[in-house]
Amino acid sequence: MMCGMGKLWSSVLDLALPLECGGCATPGTRWCGPCADAYGQGPVRLRPRVDPGVPVWSLGTYVGSRRQAVLEVKEHGRRDLSQPLGQALAVGLSRLRELGELDPPELAPLALVPAPSRRAAARRRGGDPVHRIVGRAAAALAPEQVVVAANLEMGRGVRDSVGLGAEARTRNLDGQVRLRGVIPRTGTVVLVDDVVTTGATASESVRVLSAAGVRVHAVLALVHV
Ligand SMILES: [Zn+2]
């Protein structure tokens, strides 16, 4: 019942949104072909300043329609973009498998771990966009059974990292990423984030997961700065 109401409500919200592309504002579509192409060129391997010790990948740089789409989904509540961005992540994951960077599903089940975001920010936005996008990515890989392990939380002591350098970001996150609940310890575990800037969030997340006996195989972000 609740689920049905939720769906109905999200449909109502979708209808209330102006119909324009989330990447380039072209009217008459939620997500246009060229913007989909702009997200479909990666993944590219990154060398973040704060190295999490596992391969870090991104679907592209934080510019143009890629940047705009992330801003729309994070700051302007464009939930309808979760689907195309999740689809782009799913394509990126498939490419990493083709490159031999991740095991195929028949060898190891895939678990996607959304990177933690600041609680206050997630609340204000009416839910965590990264979690939603990761859920769409998992669905896009069907019939493969993909686990979405939303077990990482950001503590209350974390402040907005905009404008902070690598060292300050690392200090800001020190001891603030927490693991909650049970997380799969087998299979291929990929940490997923929206934007990789210095790699500080990814590094702290990988460290916390490792300490709990979870081996992270890769980090995949929608975009990188
Ligand atoms: Zn577009």
Side-chain angles (χ1 to χ4, degrees):
M1 181 64 184
M2 286 306 290
C3 182
M5 285 301 287
K7 272 189 184 147
L8 177 64
W9 182 237
S10 73
S11 305
V12 171
L13 285 176
D14 283 348
L15 289 173
L17 290 166
L19 187 60
E20 63 176 37
C21 174
C24 67
T26 293
T29 178
R30 300 198 184 286
W31 191 239
C32 77
C35 287
D37 290 345
Y39 256 111
Q41 288 157 14
V44 289
R45 179 84 185 261
L46 307 182
R47 306 277 173 202
R49 272 166 285 167
V50 186
D51 180 10
V54 303
V56 180
W57 303 86
S58 154
L59 298 182
T61 47
Y62 189 52
V63 296
S65 60
R66 283 190 297 263
R67 176 174 181 273
Q68 192 56 39
V70 168
L71 287 174
E72 289 292 328
V73 81
K74 283 178 76 172
E75 310 296 339
H76 303 140
R78 281 285 300 260
R79 285 168 175 251
D80 59 323
L81 296 178
S82 304
Q83 169 63 33
L85 295 181
Q87 176 68 36
L89 275 178
V91 170
L93 288 163
S94 299
R95 293 225 177 106
L96 290 179
R97 280 173 166 162
E98 287 162 19
L99 292 169
E101 296 288 339
L102 296 176
D103 279 336
E106 56 273 21
L107 279 187
L110 181 62
L112 302 177
V113 182
S117 60
R118 290 164 65 237
R119 284 184 199 172
R123 260 200 313 272
R124 197 173 55 239
R125 295 188 299 255
D128 179 25
V130 176
H131 187 184
R132 271 203 305 276
I133 292 166
V134 169
R136 296 298 188 138
L141 288 165
E144 183 186 341
Q145 299 268 321
V146 178
V147 172
V148 176
N151 299 75
L152 292 179
E153 280 184 354
M154 198 74 95
R156 290 172 192 277
V158 178
R159 60 197 174 100
D160 195 340
S161 61
V162 170
L164 298 182
E167 272 181 42
R169 280 176 190 245
T170 299
R171 270 199 309 278
N172 188 29
L173 290 170
D174 187 30
Q176 293 287 342
V177 173
R178 291 155 199 168
L179 185 62
R180 190 172 51 94
V182 179
I183 190 163
R185 285 183 171 73
T186 56
T188 303
V189 176
V190 178
L191 180 80
V192 180
D193 207 350
D194 47 9
V195 185
V196 165
T197 306
T198 60
T201 304
S203 294
E204 185 64 4
S205 299
V206 169
R207 192 189 66 71
V208 167
L209 289 167
S210 300
V214 180
R215 188 188 155 213
V216 177
H217 291 72
V219 176
L220 178 60
L222 284 172
V223 291
H224 65 281
V225 174

